[in-house]
Amino acid sequence: MISLHLQSKSHRVDDIRSKDQNPGLRDYEASMLRLLDKLTNGMAVEINESGTALKYKPGVVVGGRRVSHECGGGRGVGFFLEMVLCVSLFAKKPLDLTLTGITNDEADISVDTFRTITLPMLKRQFGCDEGLSLQIIKRGAPPQGGGEINIKLPILKELKLIDWTDEGLVKRVRGVAFTLRLSPQTGNRLVDAARGVLNKFLPDVYIFTDHAAGDGREQGKGGKRGKKSSPGFGLSLVAETTTGCLIGADTASGAGRAAWEEGLSAVGEGGRGGEGEGEEEAPSISDSKKRSRGEPATPEDIGTSTTEALMAEIQRGGVCDSAHQPLVLLLMAIGPEQLAKVRLGQLTPRAVKTLRVIKQFFGVTFNIAPEPESGTVFLSTVGAGIRNIGRRAT
């Protein structure tokens, strides 16, 4: 997306899920375009009636203060943060953005991981250290959401050149166990399950608990009672190595969304989806948006599965976890026109697709050299040298 705003011509995207049972753009993708419109000036988007094709004319990224956006319930806030991060670093003004929606779910990167891993990685490795912060004001679980975060992103003249190949050894683990509209004991059960696995490997383990009682019902427009906030719980873990690398894993319960889908089934069979008269019925949900119902449901299972996922990420190797591979590759590709190096674990399918998109958009290719002994991969490239022309030189 960064390359698009540097060109004045329009771009077309065709055949968007044209052969799918539910073709066209999803609601969360349209919401992404609306958010991009708020961050830019001069942008224009035309979408056909079926939603299977769009014409995009890029604008200039301006950033700014007091920008807010409702992300909806289709995807988590982390889905939007990844786009905002890459675009806003090259804006005219620093960004002060408030996003509302689902802060923790089972599909997207959580706001805890973004705060404890992504932002510190930008500070240490890519030279983005002034005015970078993320505050979790209120948590929101699927499907109703209701969470709120505030993120502040500075602007850069250009990214810092990286030579990031020393992964080090894990020395400590930190984490956050959150509960929303559930008993605080649920958080303690998450912590006990995670520590039961982690303490077999190292003693320096500390997991915080974050309990939010919830207000039962969110305040609606005109002083009317709004929708109930959804209950939920989850765990986010971060392993720090001796060289300052951060490896993370997070999982959130899908109980709230599963209960909502069961309620939809009851409505379809003639049951009642609401608790009282006059309440709006829950909107229909397509099969493509449904999450797997096979995920763990109890706090003990969530704690154990998250810890095992963290162990798998550590075993994979590399200076970052698999969720951050695409972001690291993209930032390397748009960095200075000098040789940059990074050491990653086995490349994920998403990282491979990112490499293909980078080659198509920027003309940047990576040299990939696997190391069979450790199972890691060394990637090196010469960046495209993208600079922020909107920022003053002094």
Side-chain angles (χ1 to χ4, degrees), residues 193-210:
R195 290 185 65 94
V197 178
L198 290 171
N199 284 141
K200 297 178 182 179
F201 300 95
L202 73 168
D204 194 355
V205 178
Y206 194 90
I207 303 175
F208 300 87
T209 55
D210 182 7

Side-chain angles (χ1 to χ4, degrees), residues 267-309:
V267 172
E269 297 171 0
R272 296 177 61 183
E275 295 185 353
E277 296 182 1
E279 291 186 357
E280 297 181 0
E281 293 185 356
S284 61
I285 181 170
S286 64
D287 292 337
S288 60
K289 289 185 181 179
K290 290 184 179 181
R291 305 293 190 261
S292 172
R293 297 187 182 182
E295 69 266 357
T298 66
E300 288 77 13
D301 289 338
I302 290 287
T304 303
S305 63
T306 306
T307 308
E308 292 175 349

Side-chain angles (χ1 to χ4, degrees), residues 18 35 89 114 126 150 306 362:
S18 57
L35 174 57
L89 292 177
F114 204 90
F126 295 95
N150 177 262
T306 306
F362 302 103

Side-chain angles (χ1 to χ4, degrees), residues 7-20:
Q7 305 177 17
S8 58
K9 62 180 181 180
S10 300
H11 301 264
R12 284 187 60 86
V13 180
D14 300 312
D15 297 328
I16 303 174
R17 302 185 183 92
S18 57
K19 298 181 180 180
D20 196 86

Side-chain angles (χ1 to χ4, degrees), residues 365-382:
T365 58
F366 283 76
N367 179 47
I368 303 176
E371 186 183 68
E373 296 180 0
S374 63
T376 58
V377 180
F378 289 92
L379 294 97
S380 59
T381 187
V382 176

Side-chain angles (χ1 to χ4, degrees), residues 18 35 53 57 62 125 138 159 168 175 197 217 255-256 267 275 294 346:
S18 57
L35 174 57
K57 182 179 180 181
V62 294
Q125 303 300 330
K138 185 169 55 174
L159 292 172
V197 178
R217 285 185 178 271
V267 172
E275 295 185 353
Q346 182 181 2

Side-chain angles (χ1 to χ4, degrees), residues 166-172 202 239-245 314:
D166 190 0
E167 55 186 353
L169 300 174
V170 174
K171 63 179 181 179
R172 59 170 167 252
L202 73 168
E240 183 178 355
T241 69
T242 53
T243 57
C245 299
I314 296 172

Side-chain angles (χ1 to χ4, degrees), residues 137-161:
I137 301 173
K138 185 169 55 174
R139 293 189 183 273
Q144 300 294 352
E148 182 178 352
I149 65 106
N150 177 262
I151 184 170
K152 296 180 180 178
L153 295 172
I155 56 176
L156 299 176
K157 187 64 181 178
E158 64 179 346
L159 292 172
K160 176 184 173 183
L161 179 69

